[in-house]
Amino acid sequence: MEQKVQDFFSRLRQAKSIAIMGHKNPDGDSLCSVLALAHIIEENFGVVPVCVYDGNIPDCLDGVPLRSRIKYFERVDMSQPFDLAIVLDYGNPVHVGGAQPIVDKAKFIVEIDHHKNENNIAQLCINDDKAAATAMIIYKIVRMGNLTIDAHTADLLALAILTDTGGFKFVRNGDALRVMADLVDGGVNIRNLIELMNNKPRKAVQLEARTVAAAEFLYRGRLAVATICKKDYKYLDGRGETVLNLLGQIQGVDYIVLLKEQKPEQIGLSIRSRKKPIDHIAVALGGGGHERAAGAVVHDTLDNVRARVVELFKGE
């Protein structure tokens, strides 16, 4: 990894134009990692990257530092190729979304990711699927290069780690805790960051409560399935993590599935597990992710997708 990081620094020194993007519909790790890396590059290499996204950013992330710096892909000038395109936390090429032409035209592509991915899109890949968040890899890059970070960058890295680990529920080793300890020692206030994210619209919270209350419990209560229909989907803030977390607190529930009718015959799935890997189920549905937190988008009716998901969980 050290040689790859040095190659990355070399590319940064040569680049005069840089674009950075994460996956479509960015979550906390994707958004905050993009903004943090952009600020790190600006402070240490003297280039101001263009931060790009596609889809929707959850309202609960509206207050993150430097939020105003990220642009919707349609507002980015794509007439000239960027010297360097950096793709973060994308998992699968289809998740880049509308920013894909920026990547395709770039003179050189770098990816930094913590998802398992057998179809890399970059010439230089700084990936670690054991990392708890993409921000963890960025922090390691900072340490390797003795780069400086300010309070905004530290807060962004901490937010990314907090959100992608579910408040440290999904960590598999102590690395994330050690990094957070370093950030806290450097001035990060975790309580303030959590309060910063407590700003969902009322209708979003009410939808989450109704969705949890209406959830189905199958296979002797081990599988919880919650559904958000098309007319309510517009009120969902983010990917429905609150629904997933609340259902995961119920005694006897091992697996949680949230079905989201994004459009007619376009169903987004979020899948969580408390015990065993479930990424193979997401893969079977055309998606992917982590062992215990995965997802997919399936083009079929809500009833058909629900039936297929329930069948895939048979025997788990």
Side-chain angles (χ1 to χ4, degrees):
M1 181 177 182
E2 187 170 346
Q3 184 57 55
K4 290 184 177 182
V5 170
Q6 294 306 319
D7 292 345
F8 179 43
F9 292 157
S10 178
R11 291 286 173 178
L12 290 174
R13 294 187 192 100
Q14 297 171 33
K16 294 181 180 179
S17 60
I18 301 172
I20 308 178
M21 65 226 63
H23 60 70
K24 187 176 180 179
N25 299 319
D27 57 9
D29 188 26
S30 179
L31 173 65
C32 294
S33 291
V34 167
L35 294 172
L37 183 59
H39 200 50
I40 289 165
I41 291 170
E42 181 181 358
E43 294 291 301
N44 292 272
F45 295 90
V47 181
V48 181
V50 176
C51 300
V52 189
Y53 79 98
D54 184 14
N56 299 302
I57 297 175
D59 291 331
C60 64
L61 297 175
D62 275 350
V64 304
L66 309 178
R67 164 68 174 81
S68 62
R69 286 195 54 177
I70 196 162
K71 297 180 179 181
Y72 189 62
F73 76 95
E74 290 183 347
R75 298 177 183 173
V76 176
D77 182 1
M78 300 187 194
S79 60
Q80 296 295 322
F82 285 88
D83 291 337
L84 190 61
I86 307 173
V87 189
L88 306 179
D89 196 44
Y90 74 104
N92 186 299
V94 300
H95 298 155
V96 179
Q100 188 65 53
I102 297 175
V103 180
D104 294 339
K105 292 180 181 179
K107 297 176 183 177
F108 195 85
I109 306 166
V110 175
E111 67 178 58
I112 303 172
D113 201 354
H114 73 131
H115 295 92
K116 290 182 179 178
N117 184 7
E118 297 178 358
N119 188 18
N120 303 114
I121 61 176
Q123 290 104 321
L124 177 60
C125 304
I126 308 175
N127 297 338
D128 180 3
D129 61 17
K130 299 295 190 295
T134 295
M136 292 283 296
I137 306 173
I138 294 173
Y139 184 80
K140 187 177 290 187
I141 290 170
V142 166
R143 295 295 296 270
M144 285 183 177
N146 292 316
L147 306 181
T148 59
I149 62 172
D150 64 7
H152 285 325
T153 303
D155 281 347
L156 286 166
L157 293 173
L159 279 164
I161 294 167
L162 276 172
T163 53
D164 230 38
T165 62
F168 299 107
K169 291 195 299 290
F170 305 128
V171 296
R172 289 174 290 175
N173 55 52
D175 289 350
L177 297 167
R178 280 185 282 270
V179 169
M180 187 62 77
D182 287 347
L183 293 171
V184 169
D185 287 344
V188 165
N189 187 313
I190 293 179
R191 180 175 180 177
N192 288 350
L193 297 183
I194 292 172
E195 284 302 315
L196 178 150
M197 292 186 290
N198 285 338
N199 65 337
K200 291 183 180 181
R202 181 190 303 172
K203 288 185 177 180
V205 176
Q206 292 172 330
L207 171 62
E208 291 167 343
R210 292 197 306 272
T211 303
V212 171
E216 304 174 85
F217 298 90
L218 308 169
Y219 299 129
R220 298 183 179 180
R222 296 180 62 235
L223 171 64
V225 180
T227 303
I228 295 175
C229 62
K230 182 178 176 294
K231 69 180 179 65
D232 289 329
Y233 179 70
K234 62 184 176 182
Y235 300 121
L236 182 66
D237 188 39
R239 297 184 173 188
E241 290 298 329
T242 298
V243 173
L244 296 161
N245 290 338
L246 286 171
L247 291 173
Q249 294 177 29
I250 296 174
Q251 186 177 23
V253 170
D254 293 333
Y255 309 106
I256 310 99
V257 176
L258 176 59
L259 303 169
K260 296 161 284 189
E261 190 177 25
Q262 300 166 342
K263 299 177 183 178
E265 297 196 5
Q266 179 178 308
I267 313 302
L269 293 96
S270 296
I271 310 171
R272 300 291 184 269
S273 171
R274 296 173 66 179
K275 294 185 178 180
K276 294 167 58 179
I278 43 75
D279 51 328
H280 61 285
I281 290 178
V283 170
L285 294 164
H290 304 293
E291 286 188 351
R292 299 191 185 186
V297 175
V298 182
H299 295 278
D300 202 343
T301 66
L302 183 60
D303 287 343
N304 286 348
V305 175
R306 180 199 170 279
R308 190 174 174 194
V309 169
V310 171
E311 180 65 24
L312 286 169
F313 270 99
K314 185 179 291 185
E316 291 293 330

